[in-house]
Amino acid sequence: NLITSFIKNTSFEIFGNDYSTADGTCIRDYIHIKDLAKAHVLGLQFLESQKQMRFETLNIGSGKGLSVQEAITLTEKVFNQEAKVSISPRRPGDPPILIADNSKMKAWLKWEPEFSAMDMIRDHSDFIRLRRSMEIL
């Protein structure tokens, strides 16, 4: 993973830099774990409030795309160091862009993502560092 490559000072592998996107790397919808957890809690509360069981599919995501290169650039800012990157060929079947349509989630459960990609990177790196320090103890 990207953040682990910064912490361990190893190379991060990008699978394809020739997509039809602004910087050539694929775009994905990343979401903070706290936003994901809150969405699940709201979903469970909704189910509990129903008199009759009802099933719906609700997409949980930020609704915003971030390219792999943009994620690398944000992580470089958090760590204040340049990434070590290697470029590999595309993986078969990887689409250039995948972004969740969270409009149904927002409308039904009044849910909004609260955390930015930068928050996600900072919090994830703090978690990994904490976990690694506890392994040493």
Side-chain angles (χ1 to χ4, degrees), residues 10 31-32 38 47 50 72 83-84 115 119 125 128 137:
T10 57
I31 185 170
H32 196 289
K38 184 176 180 179
L47 287 174
Q50 300 301 299
I72 291 169
K84 294 179 181 177
F115 298 93
D119 294 330
S125 64
I128 290 173
L137 298 176

Side-chain angles (χ1 to χ4, degrees), residues 9-135:
N9 199 28
T10 57
S11 183
F12 178 74
E13 189 173 12
I14 296 175
F15 292 97
N17 64 349
D18 60 346
Y19 288 93
S20 57
T21 61
D23 62 23
T25 62
C26 59
I27 295 173
R28 297 293 182 262
D29 186 339
Y30 301 97
I31 185 170
H32 196 289
I33 188 69
K34 290 178 183 178
D35 285 329
L36 183 64
K38 184 176 180 179
H40 279 85
V41 168
L42 289 171
L44 289 170
Q45 289 171 343
F46 174 79
L47 287 174
E48 285 179 338
S49 73
Q50 300 301 299
K51 296 191 185 332
Q52 184 176 336
M53 192 53 84
R54 178 178 176 177
F55 295 97
E56 289 289 333
T57 301
L58 304 176
N59 290 322
I60 304 171
S62 69
K64 300 175 186 173
L66 187 71
S67 76
V68 172
Q69 184 56 58
E70 289 169 326
I72 291 169
T73 301
L74 286 176
T75 308
E76 287 175 331
K77 288 178 183 175
V78 169
F79 282 86
N80 197 29
Q81 72 184 53
E82 196 171 316
K84 294 179 181 177
V85 173
S86 63
I87 308 293
S88 295
R90 291 182 187 193
R91 293 178 291 203
D94 268 356
I97 301 171
L98 280 178
I99 301 172
D101 176 1
N102 61 15
S103 58
K104 203 173 180 183
M105 185 74 184
K106 289 178 173 184
W108 280 39
L109 303 181
K110 307 301 182 235
W111 172 85
E112 288 283 340
E114 298 174 30
F115 298 93
S116 70
M118 187 67 90
D119 294 330
M120 181 177 50
I121 292 165
R122 281 191 191 114
D123 290 349
H124 189 70
S125 64
D126 289 347
F127 172 76
I128 290 173
R129 287 179 174 142
L130 176 64
R131 191 181 75 200
R132 289 186 73 197
S133 70
M134 293 179 82
E135 289 172 2

